[in-house]
Amino acid sequence: MVDLLAAGKLPLRVTHNDTKLNNILFDKTTGEGLCVIDLDTVMPGLAANDFGDSIRFGANHCAEDEADLSKVNFSMELFEIYTKGFLQAAGEAFTPLEKQTLPWGAKLMTMECGMRFLADYLEGDHYFHINYETQNLNRARTQFKVDCRYGTELGCHAKSN
């Protein structure tokens, strides 16, 4: 995807870069989403980055730090529902090539987050807040397991353009 950006085939967009459910403020009474929060990560990026980060969080039924890897999964049903809503909300904003990169964004962002959790664990847990000693290691393992599932379910084993 970086090659496509450098070649001018993908547009640079404003991206949140931490697109997960707990970065949305909800109305207490109605449950309706009010706004996106945690804006310190907003910067130029690819649509696939935000899509990928949100789907790595949203298409898995377990906690991000699940220690029992047998509980880690990838829900194609949730992926399809989310993708449909994402594309519907985006309307005509994305190019056809951007739409094709979305599954790669899911795989890329899941692997990237796994590597970041693992690096933080190995470096003494300085970046991500932890509640117990092996939380970042469990987060990394969970992301790596989900990433393997994405590759299988989404057909992301072929070489990217």
Side-chain angles (χ1 to χ4, degrees):
M1 285 189 299
V2 175
D3 292 343
L4 294 172
L5 176 64
K9 295 180 180 180
L10 289 176
L12 201 56
R13 300 198 177 272
V14 175
T15 54
H16 184 276
N17 297 297
D18 195 11
T19 48
K20 54 188 178 184
L21 192 59
N22 47 336
N23 282 334
I24 299 173
L25 183 63
F26 290 94
D27 183 282
K28 223 187 240 187
T29 307
T30 66
E32 183 179 328
L34 299 174
C35 64
V36 176
I37 59 172
D38 194 17
L39 301 177
D40 62 316
T41 57
V42 172
M43 65 182 83
L46 299 173
N49 293 12
D50 273 354
F51 175 83
D53 198 34
S54 60
I55 202 66
R56 77 165 181 89
F57 181 84
N60 180 8
H61 290 103
C62 74
E64 187 174 61
D65 62 346
E66 179 58 60
D68 181 354
L69 293 182
S70 70
K71 294 180 180 177
V72 178
N73 69 342
F74 168 79
S75 170
M76 194 63 175
E77 179 182 12
L78 289 175
F79 179 86
E80 289 172 353
I81 291 168
Y82 181 83
T83 302
K84 182 179 178 183
F86 184 85
L87 291 173
Q88 189 173 38
E92 299 296 317
F94 296 137
T95 69
L97 183 57
E98 278 182 296
K99 292 175 186 177
Q100 291 175 14
T101 66
L102 296 181
W104 278 102
K107 185 158 180 58
L108 174 71
M109 295 308 295
T110 304
M111 180 59 74
E112 179 183 309
C113 285
M115 290 186 298
R116 291 179 65 208
F117 288 139
L118 181 58
D120 197 40
Y121 170 75
L122 294 172
E123 294 172 354
D125 301 308
H126 300 289
Y127 184 78
F128 294 105
H129 174 77
I130 59 168
N131 295 311
Y132 59 91
E133 189 176 329
T134 59
Q135 187 171 16
N136 278 328
L137 180 60
N138 289 341
R139 287 171 172 157
R141 289 176 174 157
T142 298
Q143 296 306 299
F144 295 148
K145 174 95 183 266
V146 169
D147 187 71
C148 289
R149 300 293 304 185
Y150 282 150
T152 301
E153 298 292 329
L154 299 177
C156 290
H157 293 298
K159 186 179 179 205
S160 175
N161 293 333

